[in-house]
Amino acid sequence: MLDGPEWKLRRAFWRVILAILLRNQSAAFRQVVGGICDGCYVRGSLTFGPQAVAAIAAASPELKLDCHVAVVDPSRYVQALADAGASRFTFQWESLSVIPRERTELALELAQRVIQAGMTCGVCIARATPASAVTEVLESGFIDLVDVLAVEPGFGGQSFDDSVLGKIETLAARHPNLPWVAIDGGVTEETAPRCLEVGANMLIAGTAIFGAPSLQSAVDSLLQLSR
């Protein structure tokens, strides 16, 4: 029932989030990345779904919405997120392992479904996953972004893992035509320069921005580093 107290609370929560985004559009957000977790693939992390994406898309149509889908069987959410206004569907590579078929084949099928639904497609890899795992997928032409996690998925405020720097460098060198190599997790003014130096060209920051006294200053600082 969408009018019960739980849904009223959810709608109130997202009005607060939208107010923050709208008030700080001058902070030069390039895009918003939303982590969608179902509480199963990432145990204990239950976030939001297509309804929240639709609310953000309606309130801020100029923002690009990249949905990082860390759920069991991400294909279930392709059409719903496309309909909600998502720009990119980034699936968690390791989540495909719970389905008893070859992972690369599943990833390629999923990427084609995403493109057919009108979104671009990205793939996110956990910090323990080697760059070589996604070689075939990145060479397929279906993927425009690889998102390298420097933390465990699902929870903000974790420390940056330096071991991913070599993986970023490898991905950038092996796939020079890939539009975006992103670093996700633990991105701060201190860690961002190291990531950019080895080939990352997208910074995905959460706590460093939303935990800062001024969103404007935090975003401006990261943008200045990336120029």
Side-chain angles (χ1 to χ4, degrees):
M1 183 175 178
L2 299 185
D3 290 321
E6 179 185 354
W7 279 98
K8 289 180 181 177
L9 181 61
R10 289 186 185 185
R11 283 197 293 267
F13 171 75
W14 282 107
R15 279 197 293 271
V16 172
I17 297 298
L18 288 170
I20 293 172
L21 290 174
L22 290 169
R23 190 180 67 223
N24 290 281
Q25 281 183 1
S26 61
F29 284 110
R30 302 289 178 84
Q31 63 180 329
V32 174
V33 179
I36 297 177
C37 300
D38 59 0
C40 295
Y41 172 66
V42 181
R43 289 194 177 277
S45 181
L46 180 62
T47 56
F48 57 90
Q51 299 94 337
V53 173
I56 296 173
S60 301
E62 70 284 355
L63 283 176
K64 293 183 178 180
L65 300 178
D66 180 343
C67 293
H68 175 192
V69 186
V71 304
V72 175
D73 190 7
S75 63
R76 295 175 296 154
Y77 292 92
V78 172
Q79 195 58 54
L81 288 171
D83 293 343
S87 306
R88 180 185 291 114
F89 185 106
T90 299
F91 64 92
Q92 187 67 40
W93 171 256
E94 297 79 16
S95 74
L96 300 180
S97 66
V98 300
I99 303 169
R101 290 176 59 194
E102 205 275 322
R103 190 178 285 177
T104 297
E105 180 183 344
L106 280 171
L108 293 173
E109 290 178 3
L110 176 58
Q112 291 177 78
R113 283 189 60 183
V114 168
I115 293 169
Q116 289 167 1
M119 299 177 286
T120 57
C121 188
V123 58
C124 181
I125 55 176
R127 57 183 178 179
T129 299
S132 58
V134 291
T135 296
E136 186 175 344
V137 172
L138 296 181
E139 291 178 349
S140 69
F142 299 137
I143 302 294
D144 79 331
L145 170 144
V146 59
D147 180 357
V148 179
L149 286 178
V151 298
E152 290 302 308
F155 302 95
Q158 300 177 61
S159 298
F160 184 84
D161 185 345
D162 288 333
S163 68
V164 303
L165 293 172
K167 181 160 48 176
I168 296 170
E169 187 171 21
T170 297
L171 287 164
R174 288 181 182 173
H175 308 283
N177 296 321
L178 184 68
W180 299 106
V181 177
I183 180 65
D184 187 349
V187 174
T188 66
E189 291 183 42
E190 291 71 38
T191 60
R194 284 182 278 159
C195 298
L196 295 168
E197 286 172 6
V198 295
N201 60 3
M202 180 185 291
L203 303 173
I204 300 177
T207 302
I209 293 175
F210 289 99
S214 167
L215 270 73
Q216 177 80 52
S217 297
V219 173
D220 286 348
S221 296
L222 289 175
L223 284 174
Q224 188 63 39
L225 290 171
S226 65
R227 292 190 178 113

